[in-house]
Amino acid sequence: MRRRELLVGSGTAAAVALSGYAGAVADDAADASQSGLSSDLETLLELFPAESALDTTYRRLQYVRLGETDGSEFEYLTRQISEHAAEIDGEFDLDAVSAAASVIAGDGDFGLSAASGSFDRLTSDDAVERGDWRIGPLNSDAAFASADGRLVVVSVSERDPTDVAETVVDAATGETDSVLVDPEATAPVFERLEDSNYVVFLPNLDEARHLEFTDEVASLAVGFDQPRETDSETVESEYVFEPASDAAVDDDWITERLEGFEQGEVVETTVIQEGAFVHVDAVIDQPPERDRDAAPDARIRVRSHADDGLATIEHVDGESVETADLEVWVDGELADVQLADDRDSFSEGDTVELETGPIADVGLRWIDESEDVYYYYDRTLVGSESFESTYDAETETAEITYVGELAADPDRLEVVHRKSDEYRSDRRPDTDRSAVTDVSGSLTRGDTITVDDVTHGDRVSLELTAPPNPNHGQQPLAHVAVRPPRLSLRRHEGTLIVRYHDEREHDADDFRLLFDDEPADVQFADRTDTLSSGTELEFGEVPHGTTVAVEWLEPDEPAVIEERVLRPDAHVDITYDDEDGRAVVDYKQGEEIPADDLELRINTEPAARQPADEYETFAPGDDISTAVGPFAAVKLVWTGPEDTEDVLGRTFVGRGSFDATYDPDAQTVELVYTGEQPADPSALSIDYTSGDRSRSDDRKDLEHFSREYDTLTAGDSVVIDDVAPDDRITVMLVQKGDNFTSSRSIYYFTPVPRRVFTFEDRADGLVAVYRGEDDRDAEAFEFRVDGAPSDVQPADRYDTLTTDDEIELGRFDVGTEVTVEWVAPDDPYEISDHVVLPDADFDIEYDAEEETVTVEHAGGDEIDAADLGVVVEPSGLEPRGWEDQETVSKGDTTTIDVDSDREPNMVAIVFSERQTISRALIDE
């Protein structure tokens, strides 16, 4: 299945383009608690902590509403979730996911993937409980956090991933700010794009080198209803631009920005300027689509020979290609010399020399105008080997030295200095673009371009002034990134562990370890001579509450590059006894903690009973209980020095204390309170969200419960009228303070039972498992096998379906599709589907020299070749391979060219273009 590219450059490159944002956004950056987002979208985004909470910079945030789109189109967004979920105890089916989101942060080595839907909480042997959440490690670089209906996977190489997962839970439970607060543009951007099923949000464009207008736009988001498919020559998209403070915004400015962003032709726009943002609805005539499979199967290389002023184009192997379909592009224009000038075809062994001069951007593109598809066989940046870059920390200067043999024109170059002082309070980068003024006349060997005032966090690049070639972004000829060395601190069983992450080696004497602002007795140099990537050093037992800092001594003024207050090692479980109306804090395991350092809170206020009332030290085996009514947050907080707080355990009382039933004939929903304790209904609101995007009758009723009851008791109910099957009802807890209003979703219900069945391939055959939280009439569901009613139906086994009920369906051939329909309304809804997957092993080998990936079927089921594909990341997301075979069985192989300047890092074997059946990581 082919997929339109979303951003300038390849789809993969665009997906990881881009850095975080921390600028002011006027009054539009409303507090997230007052955002106009739907509760389901807000609940998902609240799983991502604020940039400030993680001390990082978000580069790209993507969101997809899977229930409204073809989930297979966005499998790459959920792949990390589904693959890691297999390592966690508990049942998880991607079909149960209703929405997913992902964040790339830092230098691309920090990622969060989140999913929400109708699945149960997952756990592991090493997981700890924090109220409704479980947090656990997956490996040294990954961890997870899971609650009912929510799962977050952390992938990070520079710090303890479990610590990051703890911060995720802090954000999810309101203990720290979420991404809806920081970057400040997040909430207003998603409010404007909430009708879009797929959103790509770039919080900061200063480092998006493939875009031409980064100096004038602070952030950008684009929303789509569906993936950009080849069967539509035009698409409608929404854009939200946040102009820079000095941008002169008018119609021409908007058109220029869109044309700089979109590869297609902008034929129609509707523009609304709202405060600090520009919201644009645009109709775009789509450009040709990248389609590797449509192009002849050939491997053609374009290589730079800058010292000779040449680029060579060589057909390495594979099919001959008609030269009438090949285009040579140089610096954004068709080259004067084309392959079709002197030959009809380009075949294995053919080589062409192209005169380019010492600096040029060269690409060879195949294009089929009748089918509106293209493919770049290769591209190169002539001259990228002709520059050497250095940085002098003492003088704060970056130097780019030309080492090429041929004289170059400096007017074809510009210096881009992206300033990002991570110690500044606003953390917002500035970008300076300037001509090369260090040389007069031609740029010759030994000439040096000097950039002053380059401090830690800055990036300097040397770029072409010429526009990029079609369908590709601009790449730098030379690049200098200046940043402090990277390391992380963690405390494990009382021992302080420092891990060094930076690629550059440093002398251990360049660092100083501080405990509570005083040099530690044992320093880095006492443990090692040199720090290199992956080095871990232990510094013995260090008490919790100690402020640990690492100073980097190389700059003139030593800089603190990592600092944290060590939290206690503690596993605290808080449970709620609905019958007695009491929350019980049970200290499961950890170290003794002075009771005076602990505070038990109900919402934001101290509870009447505190640990210090009963204990001098709070230790494993101790417990304390407190009376608490429904709809309250209970947490045990450790208070440390420097106003440090850490939540050791928490729960929310009353979440899920409702049941709902739907009458499809009357189109009514009855909400029933199921809690044992009396509850105040005045703080409850019912949010009604229409599932029909063409309707604008979303509504909120702040008094639905309180009109009926002064106090809620078990069995009390309210009826909501005019509810369509695909609408959504959410019970919200609304709390008002002196300066804020916050809301929390505590129950939601959709009449359509979305993805409430999961399927498990077991030894005895396929088993359907009901995962819905609400009981449902079994006769309301029908199983279908390849479109025909199944021999086994839910009503054959049950009258009413409850959570974890199982139905054995029998054995089916590989590729059989089993679907579930909800047949209660007149027009049935397909709510789940499952394809029976093959059981096969594959061997995967990457040849860096030949730039190929070879996949071999190593045993197991024979598979139809048309159903099998290989995805090589990051070079592409489209399955390829085995085009010339009917079936694939043991011993069969396929070899795939790596179509990217970046080495692959993962290979996945997919079945029916949507299900990953095998994967392998490639060590770089």
Side-chain angles (χ1 to χ4, degrees):
M1 184 173 294
R2 298 178 299 195
R3 187 177 295 111
R4 284 283 180 189
E5 295 174 14
L6 302 181
L7 302 176
V8 176
S10 73
T12 302
V16 298
L18 324 68
S19 167
Y21 165 75
V25 188
D27 294 333
D28 290 271
D31 186 279
S33 63
Q34 299 175 336
S35 75
L37 299 174
S38 65
S39 58
D40 53 347
L41 174 55
E42 185 170 351
T43 298
L44 182 63
L45 293 180
E46 283 178 343
L47 299 179
F48 295 142
E51 288 182 333
S52 55
L54 292 173
D55 191 25
T56 191
T57 302
Y58 286 158
R59 303 177 65 187
R60 183 264 298 158
L61 192 157
Q62 286 184 208
Y63 162 81
V64 59
R65 183 186 293 113
L66 292 174
E68 309 295 335
T69 58
D70 180 356
S72 64
E73 281 299 298
F74 300 108
E75 188 194 44
Y76 62 96
L77 278 176
T78 54
R79 185 175 294 142
Q80 185 181 42
I81 285 284
S82 59
E83 289 173 352
H84 279 302
E87 306 172 28
I88 311 171
D89 294 338
E91 299 298 335
F92 179 84
D93 192 322
L94 197 56
D95 288 340
V97 175
S98 58
S102 65
V103 161
I104 295 296
D107 292 323
D109 50 6
F110 187 150
L112 303 174
S113 296
S116 62
S118 56
F119 49 86
D120 293 335
R121 180 173 66 170
L122 306 183
T123 188
S124 69
D125 292 339
D126 298 326
V128 297
E129 292 203 18
R130 277 187 49 182
D132 297 333
W133 287 83
R134 286 190 178 129
I135 301 169
L138 293 168
N139 53 54
S140 60
D141 295 326
F144 76 94
S146 178
D148 287 344
R150 289 178 289 176
L151 173 63
V152 180
V153 171
V154 176
S155 178
V156 56
S157 61
E158 297 185 11
R159 61 182 82 179
D160 186 346
T162 306
D163 285 349
V164 177
E166 292 272 3
T167 308
V168 166
V169 175
D170 289 342
T173 55
E175 296 304 313
T176 191
D177 288 337
S178 75
V179 71
L180 292 172
V181 174
D182 177 20
E184 295 180 4
T186 308
V189 160
F190 274 90
E191 286 176 22
R192 289 160 175 80
L193 295 178
E194 187 165 7
D195 287 341
S196 296
N197 293 322
Y198 176 47
V199 176
V200 179
F201 175 41
L202 313 177
N204 189 318
L205 294 184
D206 286 282
E207 297 195 16
R209 291 189 291 272
H210 66 285
L211 297 179
E212 293 297 314
F213 52 82
T214 56
D215 289 340
E216 301 179 33
V217 182
S219 69
L220 168 66
V222 57
F224 311 101
D225 284 337
Q226 292 287 342
R228 296 182 170 189
E229 296 290 356
T230 57
D231 56 4
S232 175
E233 295 183 356
T234 62
V235 294
E236 296 183 9
S237 303
E238 293 184 84
Y239 307 84
V240 176
F241 293 93
E242 182 198 354
S245 58
D246 56 352
V249 180
D250 56 20
D251 290 345
D252 291 339
W253 185 96
I254 293 167
T255 300
E256 184 179 348
R257 304 286 84 70
L258 283 176
E259 290 177 346
F261 175 77
E262 278 287 351
Q263 297 182 50
E265 180 184 356
V266 181
V267 296
E268 181 181 335
T269 60
T270 302
V271 179
I272 301 175
Q273 186 162 359
E274 304 169 295
F277 297 91
V278 177
H279 186 185
V280 183
D281 287 320
V283 177
I284 309 293
D285 278 345
Q286 295 195 75
E289 178 191 4
R290 180 187 180 279
D291 190 342
R292 174 64 182 96
D293 293 335
D297 186 10
R299 187 152 58 96
I300 303 176
R301 289 178 173 176
V302 181
R303 291 292 181 259
S304 168
H305 304 279
D307 287 346
D308 298 320
L310 300 173
T312 58
I313 304 174
E314 178 187 4
H315 191 303
V316 179
D317 59 46
E319 299 177 6
S320 295
V321 185
E322 294 184 10
T323 55
D325 297 331
L326 294 174
E327 298 175 338
V328 180
W329 287 86
V330 177
D331 296 339
E333 298 181 353
L334 283 170
D336 294 335
V337 176
Q338 295 292 326
L339 300 187
D341 293 344
D342 60 1
R343 66 189 71 200
D344 294 328
S345 63
F346 198 55
S347 305
E348 184 173 335
D350 289 349
T351 300
V352 171
E353 288 187 348
L354 182 70
E355 294 185 2
T356 61
I359 299 171
D361 184 2
V362 181
L364 180 68
R365 184 173 77 160
W366 172 88
I367 188 164
D368 184 342
E369 294 184 352
S370 63
E371 296 295 328
D372 204 30
V373 294
Y374 78 93
Y375 172 69
Y376 268 94
Y377 280 108
D378 202 5
R379 62 187 295 255
T380 190
L381 198 58
V382 177
S384 59
E385 71 270 40
S386 301
F387 295 91
E388 295 179 350
S389 304
T390 59
Y391 175 70
D392 189 325
E394 292 185 3
T395 61
E396 294 188 341
T397 57
E399 292 185 342
I400 301 174
T401 302
Y402 184 62
V403 296
E405 294 293 338
L406 300 180
D409 182 2
D411 291 339
R412 301 194 63 229
L413 304 173
E414 68 174 347
V415 176
V416 182
H417 182 186
R418 294 174 175 86
K419 303 175 182 178
S420 181
D421 185 352
E422 61 187 80
Y423 302 107
R424 279 168 37 188
S425 59
D426 63 2
R427 295 176 59 219
R428 180 170 187 161
D430 297 321
T431 301
D432 290 338
R433 293 180 179 269
S434 60
V436 175
T437 58
D438 298 73
V439 296
S440 58
S442 298
L443 186 67
T444 58
R445 185 178 182 86
D447 285 342
T448 297
I449 301 166
T450 302
V451 183
D452 297 320
D453 192 26
V454 180
T455 59
H456 301 300
D458 289 6
R459 295 190 178 194
V460 174
S461 60
L462 186 68
E463 301 180 6
L464 283 169
T465 56
N469 294 324
N471 315 112
H472 270 293
Q474 190 70 270
Q475 297 292 323
L477 288 157
H479 185 226
V480 177
V482 183
R483 62 187 182 191
R486 295 173 295 169
L487 45 77
S488 60
L489 307 171
R490 64 186 178 96
R491 184 170 179 260
H492 180 66
E493 295 181 350
T495 297
L496 175 65
I497 300 173
V498 180
R499 185 179 184 188
Y500 185 78
H501 301 282
D502 207 79
E503 296 176 357
R504 298 168 296 169
E505 290 189 352
H506 273 86
D507 290 340
D509 284 330
D510 290 342
F511 303 90
R512 180 165 57 200
L513 186 65
L514 304 177
F515 293 161
D516 294 330
D517 295 328
E518 295 294 331
D521 293 336
V522 178
Q523 290 293 329
F524 288 87
D526 298 325
R527 292 284 188 255
T528 187
D529 295 327
T530 304
L531 294 177
S532 57
S533 181
T535 299
E536 277 196 354
L537 303 176
E538 293 188 5
F539 289 91
E541 292 191 5
V542 181
H544 71 261
T546 303
T547 300
V548 179
V550 178
E551 285 186 326
W552 185 32
L553 306 178
E554 185 174 303
D556 291 338
E557 295 184 7
V560 174
I561 59 174
E562 186 70 14
E563 183 176 22
R564 71 169 51 194
V565 176
L566 299 182
R567 56 160 282 171
D569 289 329
H571 175 197
V572 175
D573 189 22
I574 303 181
T575 57
Y576 180 67
D577 188 327
D578 190 30
E579 185 175 347
D580 292 340
R582 301 187 69 81
V584 179
V585 180
D586 187 5
Y587 195 167
K588 295 292 188 180
Q589 64 184 52
E591 57 189 316
E592 289 190 356
I593 304 172
D596 286 336
D597 294 342
L598 299 174
E599 184 175 80
L600 185 60
R601 295 178 188 169
I602 300 176
N603 295 324
T604 59
E605 298 298 323
R609 194 71 181 163
Q610 293 293 330
D613 296 333
E614 299 185 21
Y615 305 97
E616 291 186 3
T617 60
F618 200 53
D622 293 341
D623 62 70
I624 187 171
S625 65
T626 185
V628 59
F631 314 135
V634 181
K635 53 194 171 186
L636 183 66
V637 180
W638 172 75
T639 57
E642 303 178 19
D643 297 324
T644 300
E645 288 190 353
D646 192 75
V647 178
L648 304 182
R650 75 187 78 204
T651 193
F652 184 81
V653 176
R655 183 187 294 276
S657 295
F658 294 90
D659 277 338
T661 57
Y662 179 65
D663 185 334
D665 296 325
Q667 290 201 325
T668 59
V669 169
E670 182 180 15
L671 285 174
V672 182
Y673 177 66
T674 60
E676 293 291 333
Q677 296 298 313
D680 179 8
S682 64
L684 298 179
S685 165
I686 295 178
D687 282 11
Y688 169 102
T689 304
S690 171
D692 185 351
R693 294 286 167 178
S694 66
R695 292 160 49 193
S696 58
D697 54 352
D698 293 0
R699 59 185 185 265
K700 179 178 293 187
D701 192 332
L702 299 175
E703 300 176 350
H704 207 126
F705 283 100
S706 59
R707 280 197 303 269
E708 299 289 336
Y709 304 99
D710 295 326
T711 301
L712 280 178
T713 57
D716 289 343
S717 66
V718 295
V719 175
I720 304 170
D721 298 319
D722 190 25
V723 181
D726 55 356
D727 293 344
R728 179 186 178 99
I729 303 298
T730 306
V731 179
M732 305 290 294
L733 177 67
V734 181
Q735 296 174 310
K736 297 182 178 180
D738 294 336
N739 300 311
F740 71 94
T741 298
S742 66
S743 60
R744 176 197 297 263
S745 60
I746 59 177
Y747 178 79
Y748 72 87
F749 176 79
T750 56
V752 176
R754 300 184 187 278
R755 297 179 174 85
V756 292
F757 281 95
T758 61
F759 294 89
E760 299 177 5
D761 289 300
R762 299 180 184 173
D764 295 333
L766 189 66
V767 177
V769 184
Y770 181 73
R771 299 297 187 186
E773 296 181 359
D774 300 295
D775 294 348
R776 299 272 187 168
D777 184 356
E779 289 188 346
F781 299 95
E782 181 179 274
F783 293 149
R784 304 183 73 84
V785 177
D786 286 337
S790 172
D791 294 336
V792 178
Q793 296 295 337
D796 297 339
R797 289 284 312 277
Y798 303 98
D799 295 324
T800 301
L801 289 169
T802 59
T803 302
D804 295 332
D805 282 345
E806 297 184 355
I807 302 106
E808 296 179 357
L809 298 176
R811 295 184 179 278
F812 301 97
D813 293 335
V814 170
T816 300
E817 184 176 22
V818 180
T819 58
V820 183
E821 289 188 352
W822 183 54
V823 296
D826 293 336
D827 296 323
Y829 283 72
E830 182 179 309
I831 59 171
S832 298
D833 73 301
H834 175 79
V835 176
V836 178
L837 300 179
D839 182 12
D841 296 323
F842 295 87
D843 292 334
I844 298 170
E845 182 178 341
Y846 170 58
D847 188 325
E849 182 176 348
E850 294 296 326
E851 297 183 344
T852 60
V853 169
T854 300
V855 180
E856 179 180 357
H857 188 302
D861 292 336
E862 184 177 78
I863 307 169
D864 287 345
D867 293 332
L868 197 60
V870 181
V871 174
V872 181
E873 295 187 0
S875 63
L877 301 171
E878 302 166 10
R880 295 182 283 160
W882 285 294
E883 296 94 339
D884 300 326
Q885 295 178 230
E886 292 185 2
T887 61
V888 178
S889 57
K890 184 176 181 180
D892 289 339
T893 64
T894 186
T895 299
I896 297 169
D897 293 335
V898 177
D899 306 315
S900 174
D901 292 334
R902 300 173 58 197
E903 291 193 354
N905 54 36
M906 196 275 285
V907 177
I909 315 300
V910 296
F911 181 76
S912 294
E913 295 187 330
R914 56 182 303 181
Q915 301 286 346
T916 300
I917 59 175
S918 181
R919 66 185 290 271
L921 297 175
I922 296 177
D923 295 330
E924 296 184 359

